[in-house]
Amino acid sequence: MTEVQYVAPGTLDEAVRVFASASGAARILAGGTDLLVQMRSGAVRPGLIVDIKKIAEMTAIEQGADGSFRIGAAVSGAALREHAKLKAIWPGVVEAANLIGSTQIQGRASAGGNLCNASPAGDSVPAMVAAAATVTVQGPNGRRQLAVEKVPAGPGRTTLAKGEIVVSFTLPPRPKGSGDAYLRMIPRTEMDIAVVGCGVSLTLDKGTCTAARVGLGAVAPTVLLVEDAAKALIGSKLDAAALDKAANACRAACRPIDDKRGTIAYRTQIAGVLLKRAATIAAERAGRS
Amino acid sequence: MNAPVSERSDNKWIGQRTVRPDGAEKVTGRAAYAADTTMPGMIWGKVLRSPHPHARIRSIDTSKAEKLPGVKAVMTAKDIVDFPLDKSVMLGIQDMRWMCRNVMAREKALFAGHPVAAVAAMSEKIADEACKLIEVDYEVLPWVIDVEEAMKPDAPILHDFIKFEGKPSNIAGKIEHKLGDVEKGFAEADVVIERSFRTKPVHQGYIEPHACLVSVSDGKATVWSSSQGQFMVRAMSAYLTGLPQNDIRAIPAEIGGGFGGKTIIYLEPLALILSRKTGRPVKMAMTREEVFRASGPTSGSYSKVKIGAKKDGTIVAAQGTFCLQAGALPGSPIRGAAGCAFAPYNIANVHSVGFDVVSNRSKVAAYRAPGAPLGCYATECVLDEVAEALKMDPLKLRLKNAAREGTKAAHGPVFPRIGFVETIEGAVNHDHYKTPLPKATNGRLYGRGIASGFWFNAGGESSAQVNINEDGTVVVITGHPDIGGSRASTANIVAELLGIDYRKVSVLIGDTSVIGFSNLTGGSRVTYASAMVATQSTEQVITTLKERAAKIWKIDPDAVVWENGEARPAGDNAGKFEPLTLAQLAAQATATGGPIGAGKQLNTTGAEGGFATHVCDVEVDPELGIARVIRYTSLQDVGRAIHPGYVEGQMQGGASQGIGWALSEEYIYDKNGKLDNAGFLDYRMPVTSDLPMLDAVIIEVPNPKHPQGVRGVGEVPIVPPLAAVSNAVYNALGTRFYSLPMSPPKVLEALQAKSKA
């Protein structure tokens, strides 16, 4: 029987020190909605658990003077939903995070955990990718920032170095006429895992799309930033031809697997369908009349 | 929804939605399920399961496991009573030859998840570790899971002892019903339609995993477990461990769902043997994964149905072949598939055949109207096509051919007064059927489907004891675990007969030492049969109460009537004495002759079949391939609804399980023959938000053979949904699916193929 050591440091420096110096397997605990399930099933057996919920920076949502948002990695889905300003400006990011699990799970599950669990099907990640979120990471060698899509390395793996902890997400300032949306395909209506997920963020100027980003989930080993889909949208009026082109770009980007949740053909087809629908919702939110 | 007849009658409690006796305990988490029981000195049992779908067991070395500190005992099939293969020993529908091999692999492991050994240790963790130290030498064999594959001539054979038509085969049994001459019938038909259908195995999906605690002391065993029959637990445990039944006391825990899946045992004999070896109470509980891998789903199936009809809609012939996947050991519900498929209709020429096919999957267990949904699925989909070919309303086609009083069913009986026609007429006249479907908008497509269904229902053995307490309250003991409201229904009946408030009647479920033999909670039999024994017991009590009053008044007992909860002098004596209430008579019981109570034990008969007609609307998102049910109405003849709330709950529960079967639930196997979706995330049972409010219309055509008119209720509701949903999806898309589930990838693929064509 292995003993599990649990620590809940009050500062990030302390958390990094303990986490980096762990001799065996160590895990960060935010909401624990993935970690505890994995421990119970025997999939992971950490010797050390570092609970980060007592670190103020990691549980706070702050809006900067420039309109950007900094979201602590351990902020729960419920806290995101209750932040009226964040929800008004980034509805797609919030709805994506709120799709994870049930109401009870929402009280614990965090976007930081969703990212670091590194499932290609994580719901908040494509929305964060579309939103051009950057991630602040702190490790034994200090702080660094990187694009959110650079964190996942493959199913269950990240690019983080030993001892590094995801501290927060930064969502950039939002130009006028912007909107975002996230849609996923699940066979049920809730309590399910994405067969395909698609996040779209865009900016409109007099009906013309001036900026766009597209994130796709569950169609490749990691969540994808689909730049060709964004290019197809930018400069267009989001007419049918542009949406078709963007949808096809999404399909072309797919590298899915056949599994119990969906086939390659199904996932590829659906990626395009969701792109069109999410782009349409994002455009409506951006103020397209 | 109209109030059922019983709610409009002058009954005080029968037909009332009385407060359910188990409700508060369940919603507050206080109800004691099997895994909630603990004892001082208790240790934990765990099962080692085969990783292979098919393997001969050459040897098992348990020595390393036995040496692990904390391990108290290890057992294998050698510790279980062996029932030789050449002699059948039946308990109900279960053959002990198969049960002794199902609870633990003997010659061979027959499915991935088949128990191979079990360990008892000081903790679950130690028991788990010890299981990993058991060395099993397997000779891995070719395997087959799919029912059609298993019937092929070159399929791997599971059991050398099973022969079909003289040759080794996976076909373990056959059932055949014949009526008239189908060839002659088809020759007379103007329209003949023949189709094949395939379904996947689905699990009962009860929320409470199998669990038990067994304590053996001085050679006597006490078993606390979650089951659909404490007497079944006792008898099977006795057979498999060699203990006589009088040395086993089986105590039923509150049950967290069964749906047929808890009509057999898995853990109890193992825990009993481990407790006997260690002298300690042993607790065992399956994980959800173990429940999926190793407890009974129902059969996957391959069926072929051919129906012929005349231009006026008269069905002249019906032929069906139903091949059902039994899993590792024989026992598919072919009786339900072949027997129920054509039972709703008056057809002169019927030939219905069922095949029981073994394959390398966990052994089938009963699931709500076992087999009937599979037969009904094929028949009712073909009928939909017949109606279309004849340009006839599908309900009118059914009405024209509906079984009525006097109709001879192919599976044997001549129906007495039944209420099938009323369910069809109820559907025709229901707001649901009269309301047009939503117009296709936003790319969404809408469709409506209907289907009818039948289930045998059952009577059988039940016992009850009704005791009048010293304060005039009443305790009733029955012998059935309550999975569908039998306690509340029994309380309604006893309170009605005694003329007292239902809250003064407590209905308890007795263990095997306190109440007489009572057969399984299954077959939609419990409220039916419990009502009969409770009624007769209560009538006996009332006779005694009248005798006591007569004694006090010094008049003839025949001159006493029981009315409104009190004994009243009648006839010439009317008005001569003050009535005596139940409480007054109870207070004087000692002086008037002793305790008042009565028990009755019966093998009940006259259950009679149940019928239902369902109407289903679906919305399909053709771009995503998702079909969702947006409106659903079940109309069912329940005989009489003793507790309408529970009756509606049964109707809704069956419909929701059937909808899951049609749209999203399936066992998915990986390339190694191992179940790939052994959990509720990927085994997609519908969640609440997936379903609309399921309307339940109670139709009451009283069963003339029952004191309250009851017919079985719980199983009919799962029979029609597979076809009702399929017919609705066809109506929406113009594309018919001949296999279930109609999962999004399958639907999308079919729609894309159609648009390309």
Side-chain angles (χ1 to χ4, degrees):
Chain A
M1 298 312 108
T2 48
E3 292 290 321
V4 184
Q5 194 195 349
Y6 167 89
V7 292
T11 67
L12 195 50
D13 289 346
E14 175 66 5
V16 168
R17 192 190 62 74
V18 180
F19 188 47
S21 62
S23 52
R27 283 286 190 283
I28 297 294
L29 173 73
T33 57
D34 284 311
L35 178 61
L36 296 187
V37 175
Q38 289 162 4
M39 286 173 68
R40 281 199 157 208
S41 73
V44 298
R45 290 164 189 259
L48 172 69
I49 291 173
V50 183
D51 187 341
I52 54 169
K53 288 193 292 297
K54 291 199 163 60
I55 303 166
E57 186 183 359
M58 302 193 70
T59 55
I61 303 174
E62 289 161 11
Q63 190 172 18
D66 59 354
S68 65
F69 280 95
R70 217 193 50 77
I71 301 167
V75 171
S76 72
L80 291 175
R81 186 176 60 239
E82 285 164 13
H83 199 288
K85 264 193 169 170
L86 179 71
K87 203 178 170 187
I89 296 172
W90 292 103
V93 169
V94 174
E95 75 196 353
N98 287 165
L99 283 173
I100 301 165
S102 60
T103 302
Q104 292 91 328
I105 294 294
Q106 280 291 304
R108 306 295 279 181
S110 67
N114 202 218
L115 178 65
C116 294
N117 189 51
S119 160
D123 283 305
S124 68
V125 186
M128 287 284 192
V129 169
T134 53
V135 169
T136 300
V137 171
Q138 185 167 325
N141 299 321
R143 285 200 171 205
R144 64 185 178 113
Q145 293 212 318
L146 69 167
V148 67
E149 61 270 21
K150 301 289 185 199
V151 175
R157 292 184 298 116
T158 69
T159 59
L160 299 178
K162 181 171 162 62
E164 282 192 319
I165 298 174
V166 171
V167 180
S168 61
F169 297 85
T170 302
L171 298 176
R174 205 65 169 135
K176 261 197 169 167
S178 298
D180 72 334
Y182 174 79
L183 290 175
R184 66 175 181 179
M185 157 59 210
I186 53 170
R188 286 189 281 232
T189 45
E190 61 178 336
M191 301 295 289
D192 213 330
I193 189 162
V195 178
V196 180
C198 180
V200 175
S201 173
L202 47 76
T203 304
L204 298 181
D205 182 11
K206 298 190 187 84
T208 300
C209 180
T210 57
R213 280 172 67 93
V214 174
L216 265 187
V219 294
T222 62
V223 170
L224 302 175
L225 171 66
V226 190
E227 288 172 330
D228 287 347
K231 278 183 202 157
L233 299 175
I234 295 167
S236 82
K237 298 259 183 199
L238 302 180
D239 50 285
L243 290 175
D244 275 339
K245 201 173 164 193
N248 286 335
C250 282
R251 291 182 180 122
C254 289
R255 285 174 284 129
I257 53 167
D258 270 328
D259 71 2
K260 59 195 169 189
R261 292 172 187 153
T263 59
I264 291 170
Y266 184 77
R267 288 187 154 114
T268 306
Q269 175 64 20
I270 296 308
V273 175
L274 294 188
L275 175 282
K276 289 188 193 181
R277 293 185 181 183
T280 303
I281 296 168
E284 277 159 15
R285 288 173 176 170
R288 182 171 77 170
S289 51
Chain B
M1 201 178 305
N2 292 327
V5 173
S6 55
E7 282 180 275
R8 298 196 298 268
S9 74
D10 58 0
N11 283 323
K12 191 155 187 195
W13 302 118
I14 290 175
Q16 291 303 312
R17 295 164 195 264
T18 49
V19 175
R20 44 194 293 176
D22 52 336
E25 291 221 312
K26 282 179 175 163
V27 299
T28 55
R30 286 170 178 270
Y33 296 95
D36 293 325
T37 310
T38 56
M39 277 184 86
M42 183 184 91
I43 58 174
W44 288 84
K46 274 282 172 192
V47 174
L48 174 69
R49 297 177 185 277
S50 168
H52 308 294
H54 196 191
R56 194 172 309 284
I57 298 170
R58 290 202 194 100
S59 65
I60 302 175
D61 183 352
T62 60
S63 56
K64 283 183 190 158
E66 282 162 24
K67 283 181 198 131
L68 184 73
V71 170
K72 297 295 175 188
V74 181
M75 66 166 290
T76 65
K78 280 189 286 191
D79 296 294
I80 294 167
V81 176
D82 186 9
F83 289 82
L85 291 166
D86 55 4
K87 189 165 167 267
S88 174
V89 177
M90 298 303 290
L91 179 73
I93 60 166
Q94 302 297 340
D95 192 325
M96 289 305 119
R97 288 179 295 171
W98 316 145
M99 286 309 300
C100 80
R101 284 166 176 77
N102 196 47
V103 298
M104 198 156 278
R106 193 161 283 274
E107 302 85 0
K108 296 201 287 187
L110 295 163
F111 60 94
H114 201 164
V116 173
V119 175
M122 294 304 289
S123 72
E124 258 185 305
K125 275 193 174 172
I126 297 171
D128 256 336
E129 294 293 323
C131 282
K132 292 183 189 127
L133 296 174
I134 297 172
E135 290 167 1
V136 185
D137 183 10
Y138 291 107
E139 178 193 344
V140 176
L141 301 170
W143 50 271
V144 62
I145 290 174
D146 179 78
V147 65
E148 286 172 88
E149 297 288 326
M151 291 175 84
K152 286 184 179 164
D154 58 346
I157 297 295
L158 270 74
H159 305 292
D160 300 331
F161 55 87
I162 294 178
K163 303 264 193 312
F164 187 74
E165 293 173 346
K167 287 181 219 151
S169 172
N170 291 322
I171 300 175
K174 182 182 176 184
I175 192 169
E176 193 164 10
H177 300 301
K178 268 187 179 171
L179 191 67
D181 177 350
V182 284
E183 290 314 318
K184 188 171 140 276
F186 284 122
E188 291 167 9
D190 296 311
V191 172
V192 176
I193 290 175
E194 181 173 22
R195 298 283 182 258
S196 298
F197 298 86
R198 290 168 176 85
T199 70
K200 295 286 190 182
V202 296
H203 197 271
Q204 295 83 347
Y206 33 82
I207 299 301
E208 183 199 18
H210 299 267
C212 68
L213 171 65
V214 181
S215 176
V216 180
S217 174
D218 191 25
K220 293 183 191 300
T222 308
V223 182
W224 291 263
S225 72
S226 172
S227 81
Q228 287 174 243
Q230 60 272 40
F231 291 90
M232 174 279 296
V233 169
R234 182 179 72 173
M236 279 199 194
S237 298
Y239 271 125
L240 299 178
T241 64
L243 278 186
Q245 289 189 0
N246 67 309
D247 283 345
I248 302 176
R249 180 181 178 189
I251 301 176
E254 191 66 55
I255 179 169
F259 310 107
K262 291 177 183 170
T263 55
I264 59 174
I265 54 174
Y266 298 94
L267 300 175
E268 288 89 336
L270 313 186
L272 195 158
I273 288 163
L274 290 169
S275 179
R276 189 162 61 185
K277 279 175 179 256
T278 59
R280 300 251 215 163
V282 175
K283 181 156 161 173
M284 298 182 84
M286 285 196 199
T287 62
R288 179 70 58 199
E289 188 180 329
E290 287 178 297
V291 170
F292 273 110
R293 289 195 195 290
S295 72
T298 194
S299 303
S301 70
Y302 167 73
S303 309
K304 193 179 256 189
V305 161
K306 181 178 175 184
I307 292 177
K310 285 185 175 279
K311 277 182 192 147
D312 69 352
T314 306
I315 301 171
V316 286
Q319 189 166 35
T321 306
F322 306 95
C323 307
L324 269 57
Q325 176 196 41
L329 293 151
S332 296
I334 49 178
R335 177 178 159 264
C340 296
F342 305 115
Y345 304 107
N346 181 13
I347 309 173
N349 306 294
V350 176
H351 186 203
S352 189
V353 185
F355 291 103
D356 181 20
V357 184
V358 293
S359 75
N360 295 109
R361 195 212 67 194
S362 49
K363 183 191 181 311
V364 65
Y367 179 22
R368 208 167 192 159
L374 302 174
C376 172
Y377 167 51
T379 297
E380 295 290 316
C381 287
V382 171
L383 278 183
D384 211 47
E385 292 198 52
V386 170
E388 192 179 22
L390 294 172
K391 298 188 171 58
M392 206 170 165
D393 177 279
L395 283 174
K396 294 217 170 97
L397 174 68
R398 284 160 178 85
L399 191 58
K400 184 167 183 66
N401 295 285
R404 295 159 203 261
E405 187 170 356
T407 299
K408 162 87 176 157
H411 69 277
V414 173
F415 289 122
R417 178 74 172 97
I418 51 174
F420 181 36
V421 164
E422 285 80 353
T423 70
I424 306 172
E425 289 172 344
V428 170
N429 296 319
H430 194 276
D431 171 68
H432 182 168
Y433 202 64
K434 290 183 189 163
T435 304
L437 282 166
K439 290 253 179 320
T441 44
N442 236 349
R444 304 292 198 275
L445 302 170
Y446 297 89
R448 176 168 296 158
I450 64 108
S452 297
F454 166 83
W455 174 247
F456 307 115
N457 291 329
E461 306 92 327
S462 285
S463 303
Q465 174 73 30
V466 176
N467 289 331
I468 306 299
N469 302 329
E470 301 96 294
D471 63 357
T473 59
V474 182
V475 167
V476 182
I477 302 166
T478 68
H480 305 291
D482 175 4
I483 60 173
S486 55
R487 279 171 292 192
S489 298
T490 304
N492 282 5
I493 289 169
V494 173
E496 185 77 50
L497 294 172
L498 286 172
I500 59 174
D501 191 290
Y502 81 95
R503 281 160 288 231
K504 294 198 166 163
V505 181
S506 291
V507 182
L508 307 174
I509 299 153
D511 67 58
T512 54
S513 69
V514 305
I515 187 71
F517 177 74
S518 298
N519 211 324
L520 290 164
T521 297
S524 299
R525 61 173 295 270
V526 167
T527 295
Y528 175 85
S530 289
M532 287 176 114
V533 286
T535 297
Q536 293 195 18
S537 303
T538 307
E539 284 169 347
Q540 180 61 47
V541 163
I542 290 171
T543 300
T544 305
L545 289 165
K546 289 194 287 188
E547 286 167 1
R548 300 296 174 90
K551 201 169 180 180
I552 291 166
W553 293 328
K554 298 187 176 64
I555 63 174
D556 193 279
D558 290 342
V560 180
V561 292
W562 187 263
E563 279 175 359
N564 206 20
E566 54 190 27
R568 293 174 181 169
D572 295 345
N573 298 302
K576 287 188 185 164
F577 306 99
E578 276 298 305
L580 286 164
T581 64
L582 179 60
Q584 288 169 328
L585 288 166
Q588 298 181 64
T590 303
T592 57
I596 301 170
K600 191 73 193 175
Q601 297 180 282
L602 287 177
N603 182 21
T604 64
T605 57
E608 303 307 337
F611 294 85
T613 298
H614 290 193
V615 184
C616 171
D617 292 355
V618 295
E619 176 188 83
V620 184
D621 181 336
E623 286 186 336
L624 298 181
I626 298 181
R628 294 207 196 285
V629 173
I630 55 168
R631 187 169 183 185
Y632 202 95
T633 305
S634 318
L635 306 100
Q636 184 176 331
D637 170 25
V638 305
R640 190 170 212 189
I642 302 299
H643 191 297
Y646 272 110
V647 169
E648 287 164 4
Q650 289 291 326
M651 292 169 69
Q652 291 165 327
S656 67
Q657 288 183 312
I659 292 167
W661 201 334
L663 291 177
S664 58
E665 295 181 38
E666 63 179 313
Y667 264 37
I668 301 169
Y669 286 90
D670 68 14
K671 61 184 191 319
N672 301 314
K674 202 171 168 190
L675 184 63
D676 199 24
N677 60 335
F680 280 134
L681 178 59
D682 288 305
Y683 180 85
R684 289 189 159 91
M685 274 170 65
V687 296
T688 307
S689 57
D690 293 340
L691 299 172
M693 179 65 187
L694 301 166
D695 278 329
V697 179
I698 293 173
I699 291 169
E700 297 188 305
V701 177
N703 177 358
K705 299 178 182 175
H706 189 272
Q708 284 83 26
V710 170
R711 293 179 204 271
V713 165
E715 285 167 294
V716 186
I718 201 176
V719 182
L722 283 61
V725 178
S726 297
N727 292 339
V729 169
Y730 169 71
N731 185 237
L733 300 177
T735 299
R736 189 172 282 281
F737 291 88
Y738 293 98
S739 69
L740 301 181
M742 293 176 284
S743 58
K746 190 191 281 183
V747 172
L748 190 70
E749 194 183 340
L751 291 177
Q752 286 182 318
K754 190 184 171 191
S755 71
K756 273 178 198 154

